[in-house]
Amino acid sequence: MNLSCVKTITSPVNRGKSRYAITLFYELQKTGLKCTEFILSPFLRACGKLAALEEGKQAHCLLLKHGFNRGVILMTSLLDMYSKCNDIRHAYNVFVEMPERDVVATNSMISALCRACSNSEKSSALFFFERMRLEGAKIDVITVVTVLSICADFAALVNGRHIHGLVINYGFDLYLPVANAIVDMYAKCGCMEDACLCFKHISIKNVVSWTSLIAGYGKNGQGIEALMAFDAMERYGVVPNKITFLGALYACSHARLVHEGWRVFNTMVYKYSLTPIMKHYTCMVDLLARAGCLNDAYSFIENMPIKPDARLLTAFLSSCCSHMNIELARIAGKRLLELEPQEAGAYMLLSNFYGLIGDLESVANIRRLMLNRGIRKEKARTVSLLC
């Protein structure tokens, strides 16, 4: 009976029907089904996939009620559920209460901190990793890839170099996901020389390897190098994906390489038949607008198959203000305020622009509109990270 019930719940979870699995679990409970670790495990996975925190907490209560809190596998599933529900406090409590911890539990806890909303919680994953390592906790490929991604996001170069050393000591640098994460870390920390060196040491490079290098060049203002890497990628027969094209377009945008940007965009659409997403369109608008081709940028926006979002319009408006194009700034500002009437930044950008050109009447109108809509200027805040 229990074995068939386990399959009944596990099967829909594996097929992506987690909500149905949760419903089945409750229906089986009504029949007086004996609760076991094997039934709770897939139920917790279903809760994690749906970020169904309340249902997950109910499973936690059942786990404690039946004394299953001594099993490492089930407790790890519980920890993973809280992690995916972004409940850091409960995830950490479960981790502390575990009778013994394996590498999967450590990875789940680090992942929980990575998913955290606040930068302070994310950065604490680095300290947590170091503490666990000093306590003798085992680490694996997943651990170092996760921690390297945090170092990349925070440009924590000192931590990144330290973890790179651990990777070499453990022999993890032979694994492609780890090698790619190291390239990405150095690139996001602004160390393109180190990123290129690590990239060259990768024996078999995949699309992630090339994309990390291209995006790194772009973010460090090396547009020509990014395009050279993109062309080399094609020569080696590696097919670029949407993220690759995003990195190449970003590089063109920040280096103001208009002709090359059009080439990359057309290659994506016509050679590889990839449908652009909003971020691709935003990069193209930003590229044209930064280069002063405001009319071309506006025409591009008007001919897009999808409606522009706030990020795209903000990029266009900023360039209109920088190039002092009053007419297009008014058009972009009006559309942006219609799209996001509660966003203070758009009002302030327009107000400052009108003040710069001496249009005091428009400044007064913007301020009055903010007052009527209850919009307040947000105070600037600085987040400091010490690693």
Side-chain angles (χ1 to χ4, degrees), residues 264-296:
V264 170
F265 186 81
N266 289 329
T267 298
M268 176 179 66
V269 174
Y270 299 110
K271 182 177 179 179
Y272 292 101
S273 300
L274 294 174
T275 303
I277 60 175
M278 187 62 73
K279 288 183 178 179
H280 295 116
Y281 289 118
T282 302
C283 277
M284 280 303 298
V285 169
D286 191 49
L287 164 63
L288 295 169
R290 277 175 184 261
C293 306
L294 294 174
N295 288 324
D296 290 340

Coordinates of all heavy atoms in Angstrom, one line a residue, residues 264-296:
V264 N 25.4 41.8 -35.1 CA 25.2 40.8 -34.1 C 23.7 40.5 -34.0 O 23.2 39.4 -34.0 CB 25.7 41.2 -32.8 CG1 25.2 40.3 -31.7 CG2 27.2 41.3 -32.8
F265 N 22.9 41.6 -34.0 CA 21.4 41.5 -33.9 C 20.8 40.7 -35.1 O 20.0 39.8 -34.9 CB 20.8 42.8 -33.7 CG 19.3 42.8 -33.5 CD1 18.8 42.6 -32.2 CD2 18.4 42.9 -34.5 CE1 17.5 42.6 -31.9 CE2 17.0 42.9 -34.2 CZ 16.5 42.7 -32.9
N266 N 21.3 41.1 -36.3 CA 20.8 40.4 -37.5 C 21.2 38.9 -37.5 O 20.5 38.1 -38.1 CB 21.2 41.2 -38.7 CG 20.5 42.5 -38.9 OD1 19.3 42.6 -38.4 ND2 21.1 43.5 -39.4
T267 N 22.4 38.7 -37.1 CA 22.9 37.3 -37.0 C 22.0 36.4 -36.1 O 21.7 35.3 -36.5 CB 24.4 37.3 -36.5 OG1 25.2 38.0 -37.4 CG2 24.9 35.8 -36.4
M268 N 21.6 37.0 -35.0 CA 20.8 36.3 -34.1 C 19.4 36.0 -34.7 O 18.9 34.8 -34.6 CB 20.6 37.1 -32.8 CG 19.6 36.5 -31.8 SD 19.4 37.5 -30.3 CE 18.6 38.9 -30.9
V269 N 18.9 37.0 -35.4 CA 17.5 36.8 -35.9 C 17.5 36.0 -37.2 O 16.6 35.1 -37.3 CB 16.9 38.2 -36.1 CG1 15.5 38.1 -36.8 CG2 16.7 39.0 -34.8
Y270 N 18.4 36.3 -38.1 CA 18.3 35.7 -39.4 C 19.2 34.4 -39.6 O 18.8 33.5 -40.3 CB 18.6 36.7 -40.5 CG 17.7 37.9 -40.5 CD1 18.1 39.1 -40.1 CD2 16.4 37.7 -40.9 CE1 17.2 40.2 -40.0 CE2 15.5 38.8 -40.8 CZ 15.9 40.0 -40.4 OH 15.0 41.1 -40.4
K271 N 20.3 34.4 -39.0 CA 21.2 33.2 -39.2 C 20.8 32.1 -38.2 O 20.7 30.9 -38.6 CB 22.7 33.6 -38.9 CG 23.6 32.5 -39.1 CD 25.1 32.9 -38.9 CE 26.0 31.7 -39.1 NZ 27.4 32.1 -38.9
Y272 N 20.5 32.5 -37.0 CA 20.2 31.4 -36.0 C 18.7 31.3 -35.6 O 18.3 30.5 -34.8 CB 21.0 31.7 -34.7 CG 22.5 31.5 -34.9 CD1 23.4 32.5 -35.1 CD2 23.0 30.2 -34.9 CE1 24.7 32.4 -35.3 CE2 24.4 30.0 -35.1 CZ 25.2 31.1 -35.3 OH 26.6 30.9 -35.5
S273 N 17.9 32.2 -36.2 CA 16.4 32.1 -36.1 C 16.0 32.2 -34.6 O 15.1 31.5 -34.2 CB 15.9 30.9 -36.7 OG 16.1 30.9 -38.1
L274 N 16.7 33.0 -33.8 CA 16.4 33.2 -32.4 C 15.5 34.4 -32.2 O 15.8 35.5 -32.8 CB 17.7 33.4 -31.6 CG 18.6 32.2 -31.5 CD1 19.9 32.6 -30.7 CD2 17.9 31.0 -30.8
T275 N 14.4 34.3 -31.5 CA 13.5 35.4 -31.2 C 14.0 36.3 -30.1 O 14.2 35.8 -29.0 CB 12.1 34.9 -30.9 OG1 11.6 34.0 -31.9 CG2 11.1 36.0 -30.7
P276 N 14.3 37.5 -30.4 CA 14.8 38.4 -29.4 C 13.8 38.6 -28.2 O 12.6 38.5 -28.4 CB 15.0 39.8 -30.1 CG 15.0 39.4 -31.5 CD 14.1 38.2 -31.7
I277 N 14.4 38.7 -27.0 CA 13.6 39.0 -25.8 C 13.8 40.5 -25.5 O 14.6 41.2 -26.2 CB 14.0 38.2 -24.6 CG1 15.5 38.4 -24.2 CG2 13.7 36.7 -24.9 CD1 15.9 37.6 -23.0
M278 N 13.1 41.0 -24.5 CA 13.1 42.4 -24.2 C 14.5 42.9 -23.9 O 14.9 44.1 -24.3 CB 12.2 42.7 -23.0 CG 12.1 44.2 -22.7 SD 11.2 45.1 -24.0 CE 9.6 44.5 -23.9
K279 N 15.4 42.1 -23.3 CA 16.7 42.6 -23.0 C 17.5 42.8 -24.3 O 18.4 43.7 -24.3 CB 17.4 41.5 -22.1 CG 16.9 41.5 -20.7 CD 17.7 40.5 -19.8 CE 17.2 40.5 -18.4 NZ 17.9 39.5 -17.6
H280 N 17.3 42.0 -25.3 CA 18.0 42.2 -26.6 C 17.5 43.6 -27.2 O 18.4 44.4 -27.7 CB 17.7 41.1 -27.6 CG 18.2 39.8 -27.1 ND1 17.4 38.7 -26.9 CD2 19.5 39.3 -26.9 CE1 18.1 37.7 -26.5 NE2 19.4 38.0 -26.5
Y281 N 16.2 43.8 -27.2 CA 15.7 45.1 -27.7 C 16.3 46.3 -26.9 O 16.6 47.3 -27.5 CB 14.2 45.1 -27.7 CG 13.6 44.2 -28.7 CD1 12.8 43.1 -28.3 CD2 13.8 44.3 -30.1 CE1 12.2 42.2 -29.2 CE2 13.2 43.5 -31.0 CZ 12.4 42.4 -30.6 OH 11.8 41.6 -31.5
T282 N 16.4 46.1 -25.6 CA 16.9 47.2 -24.7 C 18.3 47.5 -25.1 O 18.7 48.7 -25.1 CB 16.8 46.8 -23.2 OG1 15.4 46.5 -22.9 CG2 17.3 47.9 -22.3
C283 N 19.1 46.5 -25.3 CA 20.5 46.7 -25.7 C 20.6 47.4 -27.0 O 21.5 48.3 -27.2 CB 21.2 45.3 -25.8 SG 21.8 44.7 -24.2
M284 N 19.8 47.1 -28.0 CA 19.8 47.7 -29.3 C 19.4 49.2 -29.1 O 20.1 50.1 -29.7 CB 18.9 47.0 -30.2 CG 19.5 45.8 -30.9 SD 21.1 46.0 -31.7 CE 20.6 47.2 -33.0
V285 N 18.4 49.5 -28.4 CA 18.0 50.9 -28.2 C 19.1 51.6 -27.4 O 19.4 52.8 -27.8 CB 16.6 50.9 -27.4 CG1 16.3 52.3 -26.9 CG2 15.5 50.4 -28.2
D286 N 19.6 51.0 -26.4 CA 20.7 51.7 -25.7 C 21.9 51.9 -26.6 O 22.6 53.0 -26.5 CB 21.1 50.8 -24.5 CG 22.0 51.5 -23.5 OD1 21.7 52.6 -23.1 OD2 23.1 51.0 -23.2
L287 N 22.2 51.0 -27.5 CA 23.4 51.1 -28.4 C 23.1 52.3 -29.3 O 24.0 53.2 -29.5 CB 23.5 49.8 -29.2 CG 24.3 49.9 -30.5 CD1 25.8 50.2 -30.2 CD2 24.3 48.6 -31.2
L288 N 22.0 52.4 -29.9 CA 21.7 53.4 -30.9 C 21.6 54.8 -30.2 O 22.1 55.8 -30.7 CB 20.4 53.2 -31.6 CG 20.3 51.9 -32.5 CD1 18.9 51.6 -32.9 CD2 21.2 52.1 -33.7
A289 N 20.9 54.8 -29.0 CA 20.8 56.1 -28.3 C 22.1 56.6 -27.7 O 22.3 57.8 -27.8 CB 19.7 55.9 -27.2
R290 N 22.9 55.7 -27.2 CA 24.2 56.1 -26.6 C 25.1 56.8 -27.7 O 25.8 57.7 -27.5 CB 25.0 55.0 -26.1 CG 24.6 54.6 -24.6 CD 25.4 53.3 -24.3 NE 25.0 52.8 -22.9 CZ 25.7 53.0 -21.8 NH1 26.8 53.8 -21.9 NH2 25.3 52.6 -20.7
A291 N 25.0 56.2 -28.9 CA 25.8 56.7 -30.1 C 25.2 58.0 -30.7 O 25.7 58.5 -31.6 CB 25.9 55.6 -31.1
G292 N 24.1 58.4 -30.1 CA 23.4 59.7 -30.6 C 22.5 59.5 -31.8 O 21.9 60.4 -32.3
C293 N 22.2 58.2 -32.1 CA 21.3 57.9 -33.2 C 19.8 57.8 -32.6 O 19.2 56.7 -32.6 CB 21.6 56.6 -33.9 SG 23.3 56.6 -34.5
L294 N 19.4 58.9 -32.1 CA 18.1 58.9 -31.3 C 16.9 58.6 -32.2 O 16.0 57.9 -31.8 CB 17.9 60.2 -30.6 CG 19.0 60.5 -29.4 CD1 18.8 61.9 -28.9 CD2 18.9 59.5 -28.3
N295 N 16.9 59.2 -33.4 CA 15.8 58.9 -34.3 C 15.7 57.5 -34.7 O 14.6 56.9 -34.8 CB 15.9 59.9 -35.5 CG 15.6 61.3 -35.2 OD1 14.7 61.6 -34.3 ND2 16.3 62.2 -35.8
D296 N 16.9 56.9 -34.9 CA 16.9 55.5 -35.3 C 16.5 54.6 -34.1 O 15.8 53.6 -34.3 CB 18.4 55.1 -35.6 CG 18.8 55.6 -37.0 OD1 18.0 56.0 -37.8 OD2 20.0 55.7 -37.2

